[in-house]
Amino acid sequence: DRRPRVLSGIQPTADSFHLGNYLGAVRQWVALQETHETFYCVVDLHAITVEHDPKLLRKRTRVSAAQLLALGIDPERAALFAQSHVPEHAQLGWVMQCLTGFGEASRMTQFKDKSSKQAQDRITLGLFGYPSLQAADILCYQATHVPVGEDQRQHLELTRDLAQRFNSRFGKTFVLPEPYILKDAAKIYDLQDPGSKMSKSSSSPAGIVDLLDDPKVSAKKIRSAVTDNEREIVYDPERKAGVSNLLVVLSAFTGRTPLQLQDDYVGKGYGDLKKDVAEALVEFVTPVQARVRSYLDDTAELDKVLARGAERAREVASRTLARAYDRLGF
Ligand code: ADP
Ligand code: NA
């Protein structure tokens, strides 16, 4: 396969993907299958960097995989797997930790954010070393491109630095991955607080649309979205964050640009827009949920899909690790 290679992962730390995960990431993963050799993993090793419940983790790993499949990841085309099934991630992760400086890791803003919310003794070395493991995730596959959001740019920069450092100390081994700016990726904001991004860690569940929520509940959340005191439906993310967020969501589901939608809604009110967004969402999630249920009804088959994905991933990752180990003197 001569196509450029992509690696991306998603954490199994919630019961459902939210709309931001889909419109900001997974939708583009689906599209990339057409043009790139793709490796997609459910990053369960990253999920234990904070305290976790094993039963819940196992369930969420399957639910994550089922959602990826239901949303269009095709296991015939992409290698879809759980990170822990490919031990090379942890093995190369250790190597990357040994190349990462303490100061360098301390400067990661995501670590600063996550650790500032925790008591000292709850901050694990795993959380601190997270970006080094993430570097290994990428470098295992010699990925040329990594789809990243703004929040992941610093980690990708670290990955490049680590690859470069390894190459210059031990000989050329790793491809330096480029950030891949996702075409059509939409940043989705919290429905109740449209100044912040929709996130599973956000305070109000009313602001988050989970794909696996009861569609009626999601429709209601959209109808209750915070907007502003004006009346015109105008796409202006700075001044009219709430309305613009709704236009972006509708745009993703209809293929009309936010500006085209602005024209479509001349003379109409916020209620009309919300109704249409809610309808589009329900229409989208209903069949997705049915597919997720059917994948989860047959976990034996789902586990087989993941096992096959892990096998494909290991073919590549084990070659990379063997080369790296050899360079290291193992
Ligand atoms: P969260 O921010 O809810 O913790 P993750 O960090 O697990 O979500 O994100 C998984 C993927 O979804 C990442 O690629 C991330 O960039 C993307 N993503 C998360 N939230 C949003 C959002 N509100 N809008 C667009 N993309 C998002
Ligand atoms: Na995040």
Side-chain angles (χ1 to χ4, degrees):
D1 202 332
R2 300 240 148 242
R3 292 174 301 170
R5 203 179 263 172
V6 158
L7 175 287
S8 201
I10 192 155
Q11 283 206 58
T13 45
D15 291 321
S16 169
F17 295 164
H18 59 67
L19 196 55
N21 298 143
Y22 176 61
L23 297 180
V26 177
R27 195 167 64 129
Q28 288 73 29
W29 293 12
V30 172
L32 282 167
Q33 298 179 118
E34 310 288 337
T35 48
H36 291 64
E37 188 183 359
T38 44
F39 292 83
Y40 295 134
C41 58
V42 179
V43 290
D44 51 359
L45 294 176
H46 288 287
I48 68 164
T49 55
V50 292
E51 222 172 282
H52 84 290
D53 170 350
K55 264 210 208 107
L56 203 52
L57 177 59
R58 181 166 291 120
K59 176 168 163 249
R60 286 172 167 177
T61 299
R62 285 195 180 120
V63 171
S64 299
Q67 287 176 96
L68 290 172
L69 293 164
L71 291 167
I73 300 299
D74 172 3
E76 298 301 319
R77 288 188 291 171
L80 173 66
F81 60 99
Q83 184 189 25
S84 64
H85 297 176
V86 181
E88 286 80 3
H89 287 251
Q91 292 172 291
L92 191 63
W94 175 250
V95 173
M96 291 301 143
Q97 283 193 50
C98 293
L99 289 174
T100 308
F102 180 83
E104 199 171 35
S106 308
R107 284 191 292 275
M108 294 295 123
T109 57
Q110 202 172 81
F111 173 73
K112 286 196 254 181
D113 285 353
K114 288 190 178 171
S115 59
S116 68
K117 293 173 199 144
Q118 305 242 20
Q120 277 282 326
D121 279 337
R122 296 195 143 212
I123 305 164
T124 64
L125 289 182
L127 188 67
F128 190 55
Y130 188 116
S132 307
L133 179 59
Q134 194 177 333
D137 298 337
I138 297 165
L139 299 178
C140 265
Y141 301 97
Q142 307 285 12
T144 53
H145 296 89
V146 182
V148 280
E150 244 353 279
D151 52 341
Q152 289 297 326
R153 253 177 192 282
Q154 195 187 23
H155 288 176
L156 185 62
E157 221 22 73
L158 176 72
T159 301
R160 291 172 56 86
D161 290 345
L162 293 173
Q164 177 83 60
R165 196 169 301 158
F166 188 105
N167 288 349
S168 69
R169 283 195 201 162
F170 306 111
K172 171 106 181 67
T173 306
F174 295 114
V175 168
L176 267 55
E178 303 283 340
Y180 184 90
I181 306 303
L182 296 167
K183 203 165 132 281
D184 300 328
K187 185 164 177 189
I188 306 301
Y189 293 89
D190 190 301
L191 296 178
Q192 288 302 312
D193 173 17
S196 0
K197 72 165 206 160
M198 187 178 288
S199 165
K200 60 176 170 276
S201 47
S202 111
S203 51
S204 150
I208 309 163
V209 173
D210 276 332
L211 297 188
L212 301 184
D213 251 358
D214 179 344
K216 286 200 201 79
V217 171
S218 297
K220 185 154 180 270
K221 286 181 182 177
I222 287 170
R223 287 194 306 267
S224 319
V226 167
T227 48
D228 53 56
N229 301 325
E230 298 171 11
R231 324 174 58 98
E232 287 89 296
I233 296 173
V234 174
Y235 180 67
D236 182 347
E238 294 283 305
R239 230 174 38 78
K240 294 170 77 75
V243 168
S244 300
N245 190 37
L246 292 171
L247 287 171
V248 167
V249 173
L250 191 57
S251 164
F253 287 125
T254 58
R256 310 264 304 150
T257 67
L259 290 175
Q260 286 169 334
L261 289 171
Q262 176 182 309
D263 291 342
D264 298 346
Y265 282 91
V266 169
K268 295 190 183 167
Y270 291 173
D272 302 304
L273 174 61
K274 288 176 172 179
K275 184 169 154 287
D276 292 346
V277 175
E279 268 176 26
L281 180 88
V282 170
E283 200 175 304
F284 174 75
V285 297
T286 302
V288 168
Q289 291 185 2
R291 290 197 292 274
V292 168
R293 273 194 301 274
S294 83
Y295 285 114
L296 292 175
D297 277 345
D298 190 352
T299 51
E301 179 55 33
L302 182 60
D303 291 350
K304 262 192 237 160
V305 169
L306 290 175
R308 280 197 299 270
E311 218 173 289
R312 275 172 65 183
R314 282 200 80 177
E315 275 174 36
V316 178
S318 65
R319 276 201 303 273
T320 308
L321 185 75
R323 204 176 315 151
Y325 267 21
D326 183 54
R327 301 275 203 205
L328 288 162
F330 292 154

